[in-house]
Amino acid sequence: MADSDVDAVIVGAGFAGLYMLHRLRGLGFSAQVVEAGGGVGGTWYWNRYPGARCDVESIQYSYQFSDELQQEWEWSERYAAQPEILRYAEHVAERFDLHRDIRFDTRVTLAAFDDSARRWVIDTEVGDRLRATWCIMATGCLSASNIPNFEGRDSFTGATYHTGHWPHEGVDFSGQRVGVIGTGSSAIQSIPIIAEQAEHLTVFQRTPNYAIPAHNAPWDPEVLRQAKANYPEMRARARRMPNGIAFRLNTQSALEATPEERRREYEARWREGGLTFLGAYGDLILNAEANATAAEFVRGKIREIVQDPEIAETLLPSNVIGCKRLCVDTDYYKTFNRRNVTLVDLNKAPIEAITPDGVRAGGVEHGFDAIVFATGFDAMTGALLKIDIRGVGGVPLREKWDSGPRTYLGLATAGFPNLFMVTGPGSPSVLTNMLPSIEQHVDWIADCLAHMRANGIARVEARTDAEDDWVAHVNEVAGFSLRSTCSSWYVGANVPGKPRVFMPYIGGFPAYVDRCDAVAANGYEGFALSA
Ligand code: NAP
């Protein structure tokens, strides 16, 4: 592939990269997207495991920048499945003629700032070299997969899969003995489907998880019609919500309600399904006592659904509900009533090794034809740090972030001029509906580039003092929430050796957007701009 020189290189052709390209083109900038995958869609290109589905309702997990697009696209289900979301991403790429500026099957290996030329030099695995004024990382928050380094990991002679890198042709587990390691969102979505196919399924659980039923169903055409008629109002409502999702948020304290009122409220939310469960009371994620009432309600549901009391007991989560990302399921707990499903509690029988025949846990050999690693991602920083990113003086980002990510607004990092991140660490990103968060970041970056061009500014760089203040603020607000209290991927606890830092900004989408807007309105306060 030829070398090229453009205004901006965008790394990643997921929802962030696609919209970034569209915006920059609209402003008359030249831009080149570089994408490791063979198609657009990012997370939805890779995560093709059975049951993969978004846990934000489809009518909200979609772009709003084009009213024509949001009016013409017909979502079929309340929670869109991966194939439909991928079709949507492909439709967007075609509709806005984006393919011609995307290099597929091209992984970026190096992005280095050449201070004398004031340009980014970007190298790829296939030997391309690109040069650009701006480098924009649209690499996703959950895209670097994590397979723990179990002893003998590569010795297994059967098939292995990671949920985040699923074969495009799909996998038929019929007649197979399958082991699934992990019980996070990806496992919880795929386990019921794998259990239906497999001869026998063994689930290895380290931490039991809370899952709320999705009650997924095809959209009622009338509900969809009304949603489309009221899109501006719904989007505006979402913009005012802490998680960027228009949903019913009760601001009352759970502790002000009587036990009977609480039971009715939780029951109603359980029937409604999905992430809205945590909107039952305003303090569920702030107050441990309030949280315990919701947690106990879900534990009661698990005891009701799972017939074998011992298995039910093993499935009961004991940590704060919502501390790890809440899961949304279809028949997850019920799956453990099947005779072909075994649950292994890794706290009693830890995995000792992956063997040629399967998994040895607690001294017991489990023989498998296939092992599914549903073991998650090196979240938020993993995809960025896989690339050798070097700033002023050749300083590696890996070195700068040795003790955890440091950014200003999750958009930029000091010492790395003209480099932007879409939904980087220190932004609300994964705590919100990703699509509006992506659009907000992309718009902010596009406006910044237009401002630079209009004002003859060649270089923009986060100032260290602004970054320090922002990092301190991100940490401070994290401490107010129960979310920072458990060993989740939000704090990097799932990757051995990763510094324990609460990475996303938990101060809420509205406060964050206001802050970004104010920074721009004040002449990009906190950034050093130079001609
Ligand atoms: P995850 O939530 O990080 O879950 C990974 C699972 O693997 C956990 O159960 C974890 O146990 C287990 N695990 C990790 N290392 C292990 C080890 N060494 N030994 C035994 N078990 C181990 O990953 P995920 O399920 O892929 O989900 C990641 C995120 O992606 C979600 O939280 C969500 O934000 C997003 N996602 C969303 C959807 C959706 O929209 N519905 C679907 C899938 C994913 P521990 O809990 O003990 O660490």
Side-chain angles (χ1 to χ4, degrees):
M1 186 66 77
D3 292 1
S4 52
D5 204 315
V6 285
D7 290 325
V9 163
I10 301 163
V11 186
F15 283 120
L18 292 179
Y19 181 45
M20 194 76 244
L21 174 59
H22 177 64
R23 276 301 318 268
L24 293 187
R25 268 213 205 136
L27 288 167
F29 289 113
S30 60
Q32 175 71 59
V33 178
V34 187
E35 164 60 52
V40 300
T43 198
W44 301 104
Y45 175 86
W46 298 107
N47 284 265
R48 299 176 189 232
Y49 60 83
R53 197 177 281 290
C54 186
D55 56 7
V56 176
E57 289 185 351
S58 53
I59 50 176
Q60 297 202 57
Y61 190 82
S62 49
Y63 287 121
Q64 56 192 294
F65 70 84
S66 160
D67 192 46
E68 295 77 26
L69 173 67
Q70 75 181 357
Q71 290 300 329
E72 78 192 13
W73 183 263
E74 289 286 311
W75 291 107
S76 68
E77 292 179 288
R78 181 178 178 195
Y79 296 104
Q82 174 272 333
E84 187 171 20
I85 302 175
L86 186 59
R87 275 201 304 281
Y88 174 72
E90 285 164 352
H91 169 77
V92 170
E94 269 163 40
R95 196 185 191 288
F96 297 99
D97 186 26
L98 301 177
H99 283 111
R100 64 186 160 87
D101 285 326
I102 307 175
R103 285 185 196 182
F104 292 108
D105 299 309
T106 307
R107 184 172 287 284
V108 170
T109 50
L110 171 86
F113 186 65
D114 175 349
D115 212 356
S116 55
R118 291 208 167 162
R119 291 183 85 63
W120 280 90
V121 178
I122 291 112
D123 286 352
T124 75
E125 218 168 46
V126 293
D128 305 338
R129 171 156 284 192
L130 297 94
R131 287 186 175 78
T133 306
W134 296 284
C135 179
I136 302 169
M137 294 296 176
T139 41
C141 297
L142 292 155
S143 45
S145 53
N146 166 50
I147 300 189
N149 193 18
F150 296 114
E151 193 189 316
R153 189 181 66 181
D154 302 324
S155 66
F156 181 60
T157 52
T160 56
Y161 307 98
H162 185 280
T163 47
H165 284 275
W166 205 257
H168 287 198
E169 62 280 12
V171 181
D172 182 3
F173 290 109
S174 302
Q176 296 193 12
R177 298 159 306 153
V178 182
V180 172
I181 302 177
T183 50
S185 294
S186 303
I188 281 176
Q189 289 187 331
S190 56
I191 281 169
I193 297 172
I194 297 175
E196 277 175 15
Q197 282 179 8
E199 180 190 301
H200 195 93
L201 170 65
T202 304
V203 176
F204 294 92
Q205 171 190 272
R206 187 164 69 179
T207 311
N209 230 325
Y210 296 94
I212 306 297
H215 301 310
N216 183 46
W219 277 118
D220 173 341
E222 180 50 24
V223 173
L224 210 50
R225 194 196 60 73
Q226 279 186 22
K228 285 191 177 188
N230 295 310
Y231 248 130
E233 189 271 332
M234 187 209 288
R235 299 294 197 182
R237 208 150 43 88
R239 158 75 176 77
R240 294 192 295 273
M241 302 301 284
N243 61 2
I245 305 175
F247 79 136
R248 272 191 320 118
L249 175 63
N250 181 1
T251 50
Q252 188 197 0
S253 162
L255 304 177
E256 285 165 8
T258 65
E260 180 50 25
E261 283 166 345
R262 277 199 301 262
R263 196 195 56 75
R264 272 205 308 273
E265 180 65 19
Y266 292 143
E267 198 61 64
R269 300 263 174 177
W270 183 269
R271 273 200 307 275
E272 188 177 336
L275 298 175
T276 184
F277 186 82
L278 282 181
Y281 293 101
D283 54 356
L284 289 186
I285 211 64
L286 298 172
N287 179 309
E289 203 186 329
N291 187 282
T293 64
E296 188 47 33
F297 175 85
V298 177
R299 283 193 287 269
K301 286 291 182 190
I302 299 171
R303 288 190 190 98
E304 270 172 33
I305 297 167
V306 180
Q307 290 154 359
D308 182 319
E310 207 176 312
I311 299 175
E313 206 56 35
T314 306
L315 285 167
L316 295 185
S318 58
N319 53 3
V320 163
I321 183 170
C323 188
K324 293 189 180 216
R325 167 91 173 196
L326 190 62
C327 300
V328 177
D329 80 299
T330 300
D331 295 339
Y332 173 64
Y333 297 119
K334 209 170 116 187
T335 298
F336 293 92
N337 294 335
R338 295 178 66 104
R339 294 173 62 160
N340 70 334
V341 175
T342 304
L343 177 65
V344 175
D345 180 354
L346 295 180
N347 299 300
K348 292 185 182 151
I351 293 180
E352 289 146 5
I354 307 280
T355 68
D357 297 327
V359 174
R360 190 171 69 244
V364 178
E365 297 281 349
H366 300 268
F368 296 125
D369 301 301
I371 298 176
V372 175
F373 293 98
T375 43
F377 301 88
D378 181 355
M380 305 212 68
T381 54
L384 288 164
L385 297 182
K386 260 165 89 170
I387 302 169
D388 186 4
I389 303 176
R390 289 172 180 261
V392 175
V395 172
L397 187 63
R398 288 174 190 149
E399 198 173 282
K400 180 181 172 186
W401 285 7
D402 194 35
S403 307
R406 300 188 71 76
T407 72
Y408 182 36
L409 301 169
L411 279 160
T413 186
F416 296 76
N418 292 4
L419 178 89
F420 293 99
M421 290 162 277
V422 182
T423 63
S427 75
S429 60
V430 292
L431 299 175
T432 64
N433 182 2
M434 284 303 291
L435 265 284
S437 274
I438 283 171
E439 284 182 306
Q440 183 261 339
H441 262 198
V442 166
D443 286 336
W444 192 97
I445 295 167
D447 291 349
C448 179
L449 268 50
H451 173 86
M452 289 176 73
R453 182 176 59 188
N455 293 281
I457 296 161
R459 178 179 160 133
V460 59
E461 181 181 350
R463 285 203 334 246
T464 305
D465 59 335
E467 179 171 295
D468 290 347
D469 287 351
W470 183 251
V471 171
H473 176 58
V474 170
N475 288 334
E476 186 194 1
V477 291
F480 299 146
S481 164
L482 298 174
R483 280 215 167 91
S484 59
T485 59
C486 64
S487 296
S488 66
W489 58 258
Y490 293 135
V491 296
N494 60 326
V495 177
K498 191 165 173 170
R500 195 178 171 116
V501 173
F502 192 82
M503 294 180 284
Y505 175 61
I506 206 169
F509 189 61
Y512 176 78
V513 176
D514 290 350
R515 179 67 189 269
C516 290
D517 289 350
V519 164
N522 292 333
Y524 294 91
E525 191 178 17
F527 286 92
L529 308 173
S530 51

